[in-house]
Amino acid sequence: MKLIVRTFFFSLLLVTSLKKESAAQAQGVRWTSDGKAYLSVNREAIVQTAVISGQEKTLVSKEQLTPAGATKPLTVAGFAFSSDSATVLIFTNTARVWRYNTRGDYYLLNRKTGQLRQVGKGQPGQSLLYAKISPDGTKVAYVSKNNLFVEDIATEKTTPLTTDGTRKRINGTFDWAYEEEFGCRDGFRWSPDSKQIAYWQVDASTIRDYLMLNTTDSVYSRVVPVEYPKVGESPSPARIGVVPATGGATLWLAIPGDPQQHYLVRMEWFPNTNELIIQQLNRKQNRSILFVAQASDGSVAPIHEETSTTWIDTKESWNRGNPSGWEWLDGGKSFIWVSEKDGWRHLYQLSRDGKKETLLTPGAFDIATISAIDEKNRYIYFIASPNQPTQRYLYRTKMEGKGKLERISPASETGTHSYDIAPGGQFAQHSFNSHQVPLKTEWVRLSDNQVIRTVPRPSPAAQTPRNVEFFTVKTSDGITLDGWIRKPVAFDSTKKYPVVFYVYGEPASTTTNDVFSAGSNAQFDGDMAKAGYCYVALDNRGTPTLKGAAWRKAIYRQIGRINVRDQAMGAKKLFEQRAYLDTSRVAVWGWSGGGSTTLQLLFQYPEIYKTGIAIAAVGNQLFYDNIYQERYMGLPQENREDFVAGSPITYAKNLRGNLLYIHGTGDDNVHYSNAEVLINELIKHNKQFQVMPYPNRTHSISEGEGTTKHLRTLYTNYLLRYCPPGPR
C-alpha cells in the first residue's frame, strides 16, 4: 500500500566491474574503481566523466551502439562492463513488470571487434530480466518466462538451468508480493568463481488468483489473473538452490522451517568462497535468522537471531527500496548489520560466525541509510538527523564503536541532503534541497565539502520557493506531531481560510520531510495558495520517521485507529491555535494508504472533516496482501478484530460530509474490489457520494491518453465546489 501520487519511472542499473552495485539499484552514480570519474549515458553514447575537470571520454560510441542494418542506436536503459572491460552488456527496449521497467532486450558489445549482438535471441522479444555477466566475463545469465538461462559469450551456446518455470513457478525472480513488499526482484546471484548460480524459486501454485477484468480492449471482456496472497493466506513457499553454470541438477539448500510460514528476503555469496548467507523471516516478520549455507552439500547453520514484539524491517526499508547486496568487511570475515533492538535504528559490526557484535552508532538517534564504508580509514558514513526528524544530513563515525559522530553536511544548509560517495571517500555527488531551497546537485570533495562542479538547475520559473512554515503541534494525548502549512497568498490573519489536509499516515511513507516539494499539490490544477487555501500535512505515530522504534512501531495492530486519532487530534489542536483556519471548510485527501486514512477521517471524525478525496484506498484491510498487512497488523486468525476495527468499511455508515472516491479498475496492488465493497456499504446506509472508476488503470492511475489531466480536473473541481477557497 505504498504511496503513489504519480507515475514512477525505473531505469535499471546493472552491476559494473568498476563499482560493485546491486542489479536492482534504481539510482546512484556509476563510479570508476579509483573514484575519480563516473560513467553515464550521454548523447546516445556511454561516457566517462572526470569529477574534477568534467572532461568526457567516450567509452562506447553511438556508432557502436547501432545494430547492423539499423538506422539509429539502441536506447540504453542500463549497461554493465565485464571484469576486464572488454565486453559491455546493454539493456534496452524495456517494459514494465508491475511497477518497474525490469523486462526487455539485452545486447553484448565486443569492444575490440565492435560486434554487437543480441542476447537470448531464441527467447521471445522483450522477455529477458536481470541479465548479468559472470565475474570471469565468459558468460551471461538471465531470466526469461520464469526460467533461468546461461549463454556462453564466445560460442553463443545457451544452456537452460531450469525448465519448470510457469506463471506460478517462478525461477530467478519473484511474485507480486515479494516484489512489492520486500523489494525483491532480481532473484539470482553468480558465485565468485563463476561456476555456479544461486537462485530463488517461488512456488505460487497454491496462491489464489485475483481476477482483474479488462472490459475495454475488445468487445468481449478479458480476465487478467494475478497471483496475490491476501492477508490471512499462507505465503508462497520459496526456496534457494545452487545450480552449475554449465547446467545440471539444482542442489536445494536445507533451510529449516515450513516454507509456507517463512520468507527468504536476502541471499548473497560470501566473498571468494563457496558459501552463502541468507536471511529468513517468519510469517509474522518478528523473528529474523541469518544462516550460512554450504553450496557443496546444501547444509545450513544459523549464526544470528533477532526477535521483536512488533516487526523487523528488512534492508529495502533503509536502502532506498533495494534489498540486494551485503556490506562486507575484512574480506568477508565480518559485515555491517542494522537493528532496532535497543529502540533506535543502529549500525552493528557482526563477525562472520555471529558471535562478536560491536555497536557502531550508540546514542538516542536513528540512522536513515548507509552511504559508504571507508574500510581503509575505518569510517562508516550514513544519513541521520539526531535533532530534527524531518531533515537529513551526512554523518560519519569511526568503526571502533566509540560513538563519536562527525557531521559532514555543511552547517549552513538546513534541510535534506543526500550523497553518493565515490570509492575511497575522496569525492561525492551531493544533492541538497529544503522547503526554501530548490534541489541543487554538485560534485564535492568530501573532506571539506568544497564544491568542484555544479549541475545546472531547471529553469528558475519552475523553481519558485513556496511560503511553507514547518511546525510541531502537541495533541491532547500528549503526542507531538511534525507538520507544515502553506498559507494563501496575501494572507490576512483576521480572515478565515479553508484548510486542506494532505495525509498518508501508514508505515510506508511520511509527508512532512523538509524538501522543496513540501506544500505543493500535483493533483490541484493551479496554485492552492493563490486560490486561497491553507494546505497542511501532519505525520502521526507509525510513520517511518527518525523518532525511534517506539514511534514507528506504535501503530502495530493499530492501523486505522492510532494514526487516525493522531491526525484528528492534531487538526483539533491546530484549530485551537490558529483562529484563521475555517472549521466549516475542512478537506482531506490522500492516495493509497493516504486514501484509506482519508476515508477513516471522514467516517470516524465527521465533525472535523467535511470533504474528502480518497484515491486508490484500501476499504477493507482483509482485502490487502499478506506481507504488508500481517507485518503491521498480525495474523487475522489470531486478532481479526483489529483488522475489522481498522478498516474504513466498518465506519462508512458515519459519513456526513462530501466524499469523492477514485480507483483504477486495473489496480493490481489495491484491488478494485476495495472500492466496490465500500460502495456497497455506503449504499446500504443511503450515503450519497461521488465515485470515479478509471478503466484498466493501475495503482498510479497514469495510463491512457488524457488520464492525468482528467484526474487533476476532477480533483480540482470537486475541491473548489465542496471546499470553496478564499478568505471570509
Side-chain angles (χ1 to χ4, degrees):
M1 211 182 331
K2 294 170 183 162
L3 177 68
I4 294 189
V5 179
R6 59 189 180 276
T7 306
F8 284 78
F9 297 94
F10 183 85
S11 295
L12 184 67
L13 299 182
L14 300 173
V15 181
T16 76
S17 61
L18 302 172
K19 184 186 179 189
K20 301 297 182 183
E21 289 184 320
S22 159
Q25 187 71 26
Q27 63 277 325
V29 178
R30 309 291 297 274
W31 294 103
T32 56
S33 58
D34 63 5
K36 296 180 180 180
Y38 56 93
L39 309 183
S40 62
V41 178
N42 191 5
R43 295 186 299 276
E44 301 181 308
I46 299 174
V47 300
Q48 176 178 302
T49 305
V51 174
I52 294 177
S53 67
Q55 184 175 356
E56 289 187 355
K57 174 185 176 182
T58 299
L59 301 182
V60 180
S61 68
K62 174 181 177 180
E63 291 72 25
Q64 289 175 300
L65 290 171
T66 304
T71 59
K72 58 183 180 179
L74 300 172
T75 299
V76 179
F79 60 90
F81 284 81
S82 61
S83 55
D84 60 3
S85 296
T87 305
V88 190
L89 181 65
I90 308 296
F91 181 44
T92 187
N93 190 30
T94 68
R96 193 163 76 175
V97 178
W98 311 127
R99 290 199 186 214
Y100 305 110
N101 281 42
T102 52
R103 176 169 57 85
D105 296 327
Y106 286 86
Y107 285 76
L108 282 169
L109 172 67
N110 185 313
R111 297 179 69 196
K112 182 177 181 180
T113 66
Q115 181 194 31
L116 179 68
R117 68 171 183 84
Q118 189 171 356
V119 176
K121 286 183 288 188
Q123 308 298 339
Q126 211 178 39
S127 74
L128 273 61
L129 300 96
Y130 312 118
K132 294 192 285 285
I133 298 175
S134 61
D136 66 6
T138 64
K139 300 177 180 65
V140 59
Y142 60 84
V143 172
S144 178
K145 297 297 184 181
N146 289 333
N147 277 312
L148 189 59
F149 298 85
V150 165
E151 184 173 310
D152 186 276
I153 292 177
T155 66
E156 302 186 27
K157 178 184 176 183
T158 298
T159 302
L161 302 187
T162 67
T163 57
D164 59 348
T166 65
R167 182 172 71 85
K168 290 203 170 189
R169 185 176 294 276
I170 304 164
N171 296 297
T173 182
F174 295 90
D175 64 358
W176 184 93
Y178 259 90
E179 174 170 325
E180 174 69 15
E181 306 301 355
F182 290 131
C184 293
R185 298 177 182 91
D186 174 3
F188 70 93
R189 307 285 187 269
W190 277 105
S191 64
D193 62 6
S194 303
K195 294 181 179 179
Q196 301 174 96
I197 289 178
Y199 69 97
W200 277 267
Q201 183 187 80
V202 178
D203 181 4
S205 60
T206 61
I207 303 301
R208 295 179 62 184
D209 285 331
Y210 178 79
L211 304 178
M212 298 190 299
L213 201 60
N214 183 329
T215 60
T216 63
D217 289 348
S218 66
V219 294
Y220 285 94
S221 61
R222 177 170 61 88
V223 173
V224 182
V226 180
E227 70 280 354
Y228 188 106
K230 297 282 187 175
V231 59
E233 299 291 326
S234 294
S236 303
R239 56 181 178 172
I240 294 173
V242 179
V243 62
T246 54
T250 295
L251 174 67
W252 298 106
L253 304 181
I255 301 170
D258 181 353
Q260 283 195 286
Q261 300 301 317
H262 292 90
Y263 300 104
L264 302 176
V265 294
R266 292 179 67 189
M267 174 268 287
E268 302 291 343
W269 292 88
F270 276 87
N272 305 314
T273 71
N274 202 33
E275 297 175 315
L276 298 114
I277 189 166
I278 297 160
Q279 183 183 11
Q280 180 195 64
L281 286 182
N282 66 333
R283 179 174 170 182
K284 286 188 177 181
Q285 301 171 63
N286 60 7
R287 182 188 184 203
S288 165
I289 302 177
L290 294 183
F291 294 99
V292 173
Q294 305 299 321
S296 57
D297 61 9
S299 62
V300 301
I303 63 166
H304 181 266
E305 182 175 337
E306 184 175 327
T307 59
S308 170
T309 56
T310 57
W311 74 86
I312 295 173
D313 284 321
T314 55
K315 185 177 180 180
E316 62 93 22
S317 66
W318 46 267
N319 194 46
R320 301 182 295 184
N322 176 21
S324 302
W326 216 276
E327 289 76 25
W328 299 111
L329 300 170
D330 307 318
K333 294 179 182 177
S334 63
F335 54 89
I336 297 296
W337 190 245
V338 178
S339 173
E340 295 178 329
K341 63 184 177 181
D342 71 350
W344 301 92
R345 180 183 286 159
H346 280 315
L347 302 176
Y348 296 81
Q349 182 174 351
L350 285 182
S351 61
R352 183 195 179 286
D353 59 8
K355 294 180 179 180
K356 183 180 179 182
E357 178 180 279
T358 303
L359 173 60
L360 302 182
T361 55
F365 71 94
D366 294 299
I367 71 104
T369 57
I370 299 174
S371 298
I373 299 172
D374 181 0
E375 195 169 3
K376 178 181 178 181
N377 296 304
R378 302 297 295 168
Y379 278 110
I380 187 164
Y381 293 81
F382 53 91
I383 298 293
S385 186
N387 302 314
Q388 178 48 265
T390 64
Q391 298 169 352
R392 298 291 184 270
Y393 302 99
L394 181 67
Y395 287 83
R396 72 176 183 179
T397 190
K398 282 286 189 179
M399 296 174 64
E400 277 68 52
K402 301 280 175 81
K404 182 180 179 182
L405 296 184
E406 180 182 351
R407 177 168 154 172
I408 305 300
S409 298
S412 60
E413 295 183 332
T414 300
T416 297
H417 297 258
S418 64
Y419 291 79
D420 195 310
I421 299 175
Q426 184 178 1
F427 302 112
Q429 184 190 68
H430 169 231
S431 295
F432 168 72
N433 75 132
S434 72
H435 66 285
Q436 295 176 321
V437 180
L439 179 67
K440 67 173 184 177
T441 301
E442 56 200 15
W443 303 94
V444 300
R445 190 169 62 200
L446 200 60
S447 59
D448 58 4
N449 276 295
Q450 179 178 330
V451 177
I452 299 169
R453 287 188 300 114
T454 60
V455 177
R457 289 179 175 176
S459 63
Q463 297 285 297
T464 304
R466 286 166 287 277
N467 182 23
V468 177
E469 171 197 344
F470 275 72
F471 63 85
T472 59
V473 60
K474 191 172 184 178
T475 72
S476 58
D477 297 327
I479 306 301
T480 300
L481 308 178
D482 292 298
W484 52 248
I485 183 170
R486 186 184 180 202
K487 298 174 184 176
V489 173
F491 173 73
D492 182 347
S493 63
T494 66
K495 303 289 186 179
K496 294 278 190 179
Y497 293 89
V499 56
V500 178
F501 287 92
Y502 167 52
V503 296
Y504 186 75
E506 296 202 7
S509 186
T510 56
T511 62
T512 63
N513 296 332
D514 189 354
V515 293
F516 192 68
S517 60
S520 66
N521 184 354
Q523 300 312 309
F524 188 79
D525 190 6
D527 188 315
M528 293 191 72
K530 290 180 180 179
Y533 288 106
C534 286
Y535 193 36
V536 179
L538 298 170
D539 270 331
N540 51 261
R541 283 175 290 175
T543 50
T545 191
L546 303 183
K547 287 187 171 183
W551 173 276
R552 292 187 290 274
K553 305 301 177 67
I555 203 169
Y556 186 63
R557 293 176 55 172
Q558 293 286 324
I559 291 178
R561 289 184 285 177
I562 192 173
N563 55 327
V564 174
R565 179 170 176 81
D566 279 356
Q567 288 283 338
M569 295 304 100
K572 288 185 68 174
K573 186 59 67 173
L574 282 179
F575 298 153
E576 293 174 13
Q577 296 174 351
R578 301 175 184 244
Y580 57 82
L581 297 177
D582 187 347
T583 57
S584 70
R585 292 181 290 167
V586 180
V588 58
W589 85 278
W591 200 306
S592 193
S596 303
T597 304
T598 296
L599 293 174
Q600 297 280 26
L601 292 170
L602 274 182
F603 299 162
Q604 293 189 42
Y605 295 93
E607 73 280 8
I608 298 177
Y609 303 92
K610 308 303 193 294
T611 297
I613 302 174
I615 307 176
V618 171
N620 187 336
Q621 290 188 24
L622 294 170
F623 281 25
Y624 201 56
D625 78 71
N626 55 2
I627 297 178
Y628 181 97
Q629 214 67 55
E630 292 178 3
R631 176 191 300 153
Y632 304 124
M633 292 294 290
L635 305 184
Q637 291 89 336
E638 299 174 357
N639 57 300
R640 186 183 181 90
E641 66 278 6
D642 292 330
F643 292 82
V644 174
S647 293
I649 192 173
T650 301
Y651 309 97
K653 60 182 177 291
N654 299 327
L655 176 66
R656 298 206 306 253
N658 313 296
L659 170 62
L660 170 60
Y661 188 94
I662 300 168
H663 212 120
T665 68
D667 191 335
D668 54 50
N669 184 343
V670 180
H671 298 148
Y672 189 65
S673 56
N674 282 275
E676 295 200 327
V677 296
L678 183 70
I679 290 168
N680 269 340
E681 188 69 12
L682 290 166
I683 291 170
K684 173 182 173 182
H685 297 284
N686 193 27
K687 299 299 178 180
Q688 302 301 307
F689 60 98
Q690 184 171 330
V691 62
M692 180 63 204
Y694 280 91
N696 295 331
R697 272 65 166 190
T698 65
H699 197 52
S700 65
I701 313 183
S702 59
E703 304 81 4
E705 185 177 358
T707 299
T708 299
K709 182 178 181 180
H710 187 277
L711 176 56
R712 293 185 74 205
T713 303
L714 174 70
Y715 175 104
T716 305
N717 289 346
Y718 195 85
L719 191 63
L720 292 173
R721 178 178 179 183
Y722 291 102
C723 186
R728 291 180 180 173

